[in-house]
Amino acid sequence: LYRRRDAFDDAGYRDLVDDRPGVAGTIALVPRLARAMRDWKPTAVIAHTHHVNVIASSAARLAGVRDRVIVHHTRGEYESALRRLAISVMRTTSTATAEVFVSDSTRASYGGRAPNRGVVIHNGIEAPNAPATAWRDDPRSDPSVEPLIVSVGRLAPQKDHGTLIRASSRLPDVRIVIVGDGDERPRIVDAIADAGVDDRVVLAGNV
C-alpha cells in the first residue's frame, strides 16, 4: 500500500500511495483497494502490520476474497486503544478469516484477545551470497572471532536494542552486529556511545 522511509527499494512492489496515510486517507484506500482486488481476483490476501491489516482485510472482504489473513508483528502492549478497538471489530465481524503471530511471545502478549484460530509462524529470512560490504570488512564483524551476537530487525522501540547495548557493557568479550535501520537509529547511536561500546558494536544498516 505504501512504503516505509527505511524500506527496501524493491522494483517488484507496487505502491498505491507514496506515504503512510492519515485516518481519512486510510478509509479512502479501502474501496480503492477493493476495486483493484476485484480486477486481480486473488485466491487469498495476506496482510502484514496493523494499518495494512485493517485496510487490506476490509478491502478483501468487500471484494469477496474468501481467505483473508492478517499477520501480527508487534506485541500487544504496543497497541494503542484505537488499534485494540479496530482488531476487536475485525474479529467480531470476521473481517479476517485467520490470524498469524510471528512468535509465541507475540501471541501470548494478546492474552485472552488472541483468537483460538491464531497460529504462530516464525519469520524466515533468505540468506543469499551477498557481495562484500564495508561492515563485513569491519574487524568488529569478523565471524571467526567469538562470541559474536547478530541482531536483525528494524530499529524501533519495540525491538528494545537498548537492553542489548546495556548488556554488552557487562560482557567485555562479546561483539555485536545490529542489522536493520529505522527511526531509532540516532538514539541507538547515542546509547552505544553512552555505554562505551563503540569498539564492539556495529550498526550495519539494511543489508
Side-chain angles (χ1 to χ4, degrees):
L1 297 178
Y2 61 88
R3 194 179 303 268
R4 291 172 57 92
R5 289 191 302 274
D6 57 347
F8 295 110
D9 186 17
D10 293 320
Y13 288 92
R14 174 185 174 188
D15 300 326
L16 290 183
V17 293
D18 294 332
D19 205 351
R20 183 170 174 167
V23 175
T26 297
I27 295 172
L29 271 176
V30 173
R32 181 178 173 185
L33 185 57
R35 288 192 296 272
M37 287 181 182
R38 291 189 187 101
D39 292 335
W40 299 334
K41 296 180 175 59
T43 301
V45 168
I46 303 174
H48 293 259
T49 72
H50 178 74
H51 285 81
V52 179
N53 284 345
V54 174
I55 298 168
S57 59
S58 299
R61 186 177 183 189
L62 285 174
V65 179
R66 186 188 65 184
D67 297 317
R68 306 177 298 275
V69 182
I70 60 176
V71 183
H72 299 282
H73 292 260
T74 304
R75 290 175 56 86
E77 60 263 34
Y78 289 99
E79 289 180 347
S80 65
L82 182 59
R83 290 186 176 190
R84 291 194 295 270
L85 175 62
I87 291 175
S88 177
V89 171
M90 290 171 64
R91 288 174 179 154
T92 302
T93 59
S94 298
T95 299
T97 57
E99 297 185 43
V100 173
F101 300 85
V102 297
S103 68
D104 293 306
S105 65
T106 300
R107 189 184 194 286
S109 72
Y110 282 78
R113 294 182 291 127
N116 292 329
R117 66 182 182 278
V119 297
V120 174
I121 301 177
H122 299 284
N123 288 326
I125 60 171
E126 182 179 358
N129 293 324
T133 57
W135 73 268
R136 288 189 177 89
D137 295 332
D138 191 312
R140 295 172 295 178
S141 307
D142 185 355
S144 66
V145 181
E146 297 181 350
L148 172 66
I149 296 174
V150 179
S151 170
V152 181
R154 75 182 190 278
L155 306 187
Q158 56 265 44
K159 304 300 183 181
D160 195 16
H161 291 91
T163 295
L164 175 62
I165 292 165
R166 289 192 297 274
S168 71
S169 67
R170 302 186 181 186
L171 302 169
D173 296 327
V174 171
R175 293 167 305 105
I176 298 173
V177 174
I178 298 176
V179 179
D181 214 336
D183 296 337
E184 286 289 295
R185 186 182 184 94
R187 283 180 281 276
I188 292 173
V189 169
D190 290 342
I192 292 171
D194 292 344
V197 292
D198 310 65
D199 59 330
R200 296 188 286 112
V201 180
V202 177
L203 291 179
N206 288 332
V207 299

